Every structure is written in C-alpha cells, then in structure tokens.
Amino acid sequence: MTDREVIKSLNNAWMALAKQYKAYPDEGVRCGMNLLAKVIGKVRSEVEESHRQKQITMDEWIAILQKGI
C-alpha cells in the first residue's frame, strides 16, 4: 500500500464515521472522528514532507532490493 493509498484509506474511514455519526449522533463517535482527523493530518504532513525531500519509501526500497536478487 502506498503512502497516498494510506491517506485515502484513512479518509474513507473518517467518512464512514461521519455517516454513522449523522445517523446516530454519539459523543464517542465524535471523539473518534476528531482523533482520526488529527492522525490524518499528521500522516498527510509527513507524506508531503517526505515527497518534498525526495525520501525513498518502503515500497521503493523493497523494489530496489528485489531487483538485486
């Protein structure tokens, strides 16, 4: 799973919680949504920073290592 796919998956989870919260408002779900939003923001900023610095991803390392075998 790529870094962008992880962000998309987290966003999908947040959207699912938002639908659940809309149907059944609950303080626990709202807190979960807020926590997940903070996680998404942190992951997104880390991914964007790594792309700005041209850091190699785990998937890229695996591909490089597999070519050597």
Side-chain angles (χ1 to χ4, degrees), residues 4 6 9 11-14 17-18 20-21 28-29 31-32 36 45-46 48-49 52 54 57-58 60 65-66 68:
R4 304 267 186 213
V6 169
S9 179
N11 280 327
N12 289 340
W14 190 91
L17 283 174
Q20 182 177 348
Y21 183 77
V29 174
C31 289
L36 186 54
S45 68
E46 292 288 328
E48 289 172 359
E49 180 66 22
R52 275 193 295 276
K54 304 289 186 212
T57 66
M58 289 300 291
E60 292 168 335
L65 294 173
Q66 286 178 339

Side-chain angles (χ1 to χ4, degrees), residues 13-57:
W14 190 91
M15 292 299 293
L17 283 174
K19 287 179 184 177
Q20 182 177 348
Y21 183 77
K22 185 177 180 182
Y24 306 102
D26 178 70
E27 183 68 16
V29 174
R30 187 186 65 76
C31 289
M33 289 174 63
N34 288 338
L35 179 61
L36 186 54
K38 289 178 184 178
V39 170
I40 292 168
K42 179 69 174 166
V43 170
R44 182 177 285 129
S45 68
E46 292 288 328
V47 167
E48 289 172 359
E49 180 66 22
S50 71
H51 284 269
R52 275 193 295 276
Q53 294 181 4
K54 304 289 186 212
Q55 293 177 356
I56 191 165
T57 66

